[in-house]
Amino acid sequence: MEKYVIVGGNSLSGKVRLSGGKNSVLTILPACLLSKGVCTIHDVPRLSDVFVMKEVLECLGARVDFSGNTMVVDSSQVTSIEVPDRLTRLMRASNLVMGPMLSRFGQAKLAYPGGCSIGSRPMDQHLRGMKTLGAQIIEKHGYIEGKATKLQGGEICLDFPSVGATENIIMAATLAKGTTILRNAAREPEIVDLQNFLNSMGTKIKGAGTDIIRIEGVRELGSVEHTIIPDRIEAGTFLTIAAINQSDIYIDNIIPEHLEAVIAKVRETGVEIYEEANGIRVISNQRTKGIDFKTMPFPGFPTDMQAQVMVLMAVSEGTSIITENIFENRFKHVDELRRMGADIRVEGRVCIVKGVKKLSGAYVETSDLRAGSALVIAGLVAEGATVVANIYHIDRGYENFEQKLRGLGAQILRVNGTKER
Ligand code: EPZ
């Protein structure tokens, strides 16, 4: 089991270039199944989740070539409609093949993705959308099976602006007969990237980025070439690293508008942030101030940044109140931060963080992707050495994480072997 060994307290500086967006590529790869041609996708990050999605497409019969950061997907010979349990358990986003498969082949079968450490994560909104478009949905023996002779356009209003349900329904409506109107849709930048990808393949979608999306069904889709948007959560993570380390760092390859809520909150702590066309410069030269924040759907403060900014609050002046509105179980990092000397109290979906002057290095365990990146941030400022275990979680969402950190002057090593402490 690989771990990180981090020696804290190094001042960081310099420039870091970020990767393409994990959550964008994880919806654009399934969308390739809608095409009868070949899709060429650039700036695809080499993450374990991306390799799982590649395997999902291959087990359906697509041919996938992944060299460097370019993936070429040929779905002209799709032969299967089933995604096995083994893959849906590894990664929830494999449920995003349901819409494209139902739309193009009238059939899809996937093992129930089930929950993960951050929450139960049902699919009721996805399935209600598919049923409204005329699909028959059968849930039994741990599988969800969908069937439809031809999907028909319709009107859907989501109970909650779910990112995954919005993406799945857009993809399902793409080859459906007639027009679909999707209300209370998610507005995340990944939805806009999906719309741009699909429209360059020949679809007619309008409204992504707003809460009403209109999809006019088309007969078939051809080949396309596309570059994935930068990863806004990786950007937020490095912004937090710069803020907590009292450093001067330039973060390259980001779209500042995708990160406005995080930039605004980190500015409130007293950090200087200068936005440029494709990047931001972060200058932090004093102890940060505690602030309150609530996680919300985009354009609100992203839940995927809650853990990282909690670490910043743990060493800031004063008290902060953090409310997690999206997932019911996303405070798994709190106990580990307490081992490092943080003063945090959990009351249901709210955390009260009293800032301490210093954290101390310790042996801590990662429970999920963003909790993992938060523990690395804590290790970078803690006194002495920190060992972060189970970093396979971090590999799901951060490409070349330790190399990028070392490039800024951090002391971080990846080690493996069974020795626990
Ligand atoms: C996407 O997950 C992201 N994953 C998550 O990022 C992110 O945290 C989340 O959106 C919210 O921003 C990918 O894009 C691959 P949702 P998704 O459907 O689509 C409930 C990371 O760290 N819900 O918007 O699964 C659900 O339980 C990951 O990169 C229903 O109740 O999120 C949750 O509480 C973690 N019924 C809330 O909505 C449904 O049918 C938001 O879920 C669907 C969702």
Side-chain angles (χ1 to χ4, degrees):
M1 292 294 255
E2 291 190 323
K3 307 175 180 73
Y4 281 141
V5 178
I6 307 166
V7 177
N10 288 31
S11 72
L12 305 185
S13 62
K15 184 174 171 175
V16 58
R17 188 182 189 288
L18 302 186
S19 301
K22 168 183 84 82
N23 291 345
S24 190
V25 80
L26 289 182
T27 185
I28 282 178
L29 292 180
C32 297
L33 294 165
L34 290 161
S35 164
K36 283 194 172 165
V38 174
C39 302
T40 305
I41 325 277
H42 299 292
D43 226 7
V44 175
R46 298 185 76 82
L47 303 168
S48 54
D49 272 9
V50 170
F51 283 100
V52 173
M53 191 58 90
K54 177 175 179 284
E55 219 185 317
V56 168
L57 298 183
E58 285 167 339
C59 89
L60 293 169
R63 273 212 321 275
V64 185
D65 175 65
F66 190 14
S67 50
N69 290 104
T70 294
M71 199 180 267
V72 180
V73 181
D74 176 351
S75 316
S76 55
Q77 306 302 323
V78 165
T79 46
S80 162
I81 55 117
E82 183 169 335
V83 181
D85 189 53
R86 173 179 66 77
L87 293 175
T88 55
R89 280 181 188 278
L90 273 179
M91 181 183 66
R92 196 186 148 68
S94 36
N95 67 8
L96 293 174
V97 302
M98 175 170 260
M101 291 298 289
L102 270 174
S103 199
R104 181 158 167 223
F105 302 101
Q107 266 192 293
K109 184 175 179 182
L110 64 152
Y112 223 91
C116 73
S117 66
I118 61 176
S120 60
R121 307 183 76 174
M123 278 185 68
D124 57 307
Q125 300 298 305
H126 300 240
L127 302 181
R128 187 157 67 78
M130 301 303 155
K131 287 178 192 162
T132 308
L133 299 181
Q136 193 203 353
I137 301 288
I138 305 147
E139 297 177 69
K140 64 178 183 195
H141 309 308
Y143 273 78
I144 306 169
E145 192 162 354
K147 286 199 177 111
T149 336
K150 177 79 181 158
L151 292 180
Q152 304 284 329
E155 283 228 15
I156 300 158
C157 182
L158 296 177
D159 297 350
F160 178 88
S162 150
V163 174
T166 300
E167 293 164 344
N168 236 336
I169 293 165
I170 289 174
M171 294 188 277
T174 297
L175 297 172
K177 202 159 178 306
T179 302
T180 297
I181 311 258
L182 178 56
R183 297 182 193 284
N184 197 22
R187 301 163 56 187
E188 272 68 3
E190 291 75 25
I191 312 275
V192 179
D193 204 21
L194 176 65
Q195 171 184 281
N196 296 343
F197 172 75
L198 291 169
N199 281 349
S200 46
M201 232 198 312
T203 60
K204 297 188 182 117
I205 306 173
K206 284 199 191 100
T210 76
D211 60 354
I212 302 180
I213 301 177
R214 189 188 172 86
I215 307 110
E216 270 179 58
V218 296
R219 284 172 54 76
E220 64 175 44
L221 296 169
S223 298
V224 66
E225 189 155 357
H226 183 83
T227 299
I228 295 287
I229 56 173
D231 195 310
R232 63 192 169 99
I233 304 300
E234 188 191 20
T237 304
F238 276 90
L239 167 57
T240 311
I241 288 167
I244 203 170
N245 273 287
Q246 297 186 8
S247 51
D248 179 345
I249 290 176
Y250 182 77
I251 305 174
D252 189 20
N253 189 32
I254 72 166
I255 301 173
E257 294 74 50
H258 291 177
L259 207 59
E260 277 314 335
V262 180
I263 290 175
K265 277 291 161 190
V266 175
R267 272 199 180 119
E268 260 181 60
T269 72
V271 173
E272 294 165 46
I273 302 172
Y274 301 96
E275 296 177 29
E276 296 175 13
N278 298 316
I280 55 173
R281 180 158 176 217
V282 186
I283 303 177
S284 166
N285 43 29
Q286 62 195 353
R287 189 173 175 206
T288 44
K289 288 196 298 292
I291 48 131
D292 301 342
F293 65 90
K294 300 175 195 286
T295 65
M296 296 292 281
F298 192 89
F301 189 94
T303 172
D304 296 346
M305 281 302 303
Q306 176 254 100
Q308 300 93 315
V309 178
M310 183 187 287
V311 180
L312 181 61
M313 295 301 101
V315 292
S316 291
E317 239 166 277
T319 300
S320 322
I321 298 180
I322 300 172
T323 311
E324 174 54 60
N325 287 316
I326 309 295
F327 290 106
E328 68 273 22
N329 199 5
R330 202 166 204 181
F331 287 144
K332 286 263 173 67
H333 40 285
V334 171
D335 284 346
E336 301 306 299
L337 290 174
R338 284 199 193 119
R339 285 171 198 278
M340 300 179 77
D343 179 346
I344 306 173
R345 207 169 72 238
V346 180
E347 290 184 8
R349 295 256 188 137
V350 175
C351 266
I352 296 106
V353 184
K354 282 210 185 94
V356 296
K357 284 231 163 40
K358 267 255 156 249
L359 295 176
S360 55
Y363 174 91
V364 289
E365 295 192 348
T366 305
S367 54
D368 62 79
L369 165 58
R370 307 304 171 183
S373 68
L375 296 176
V376 169
I377 297 174
L380 292 171
V381 289
E383 236 158 28
T386 296
V387 177
V388 181
N390 307 337
I391 58 174
Y392 61 88
H393 288 290
I394 299 174
D395 292 338
R396 297 186 59 178
Y398 293 92
E399 186 182 38
N400 303 330
F401 199 29
E402 69 263 28
Q403 291 85 346
K404 287 174 180 162
L405 288 168
R406 279 202 292 269
L408 295 170
Q411 232 179 309
I412 177 169
L413 266 186
R414 177 184 290 254
V415 297
N416 57 28
T418 53
K419 197 165 141 299
E420 285 301 320
R421 297 178 188 275

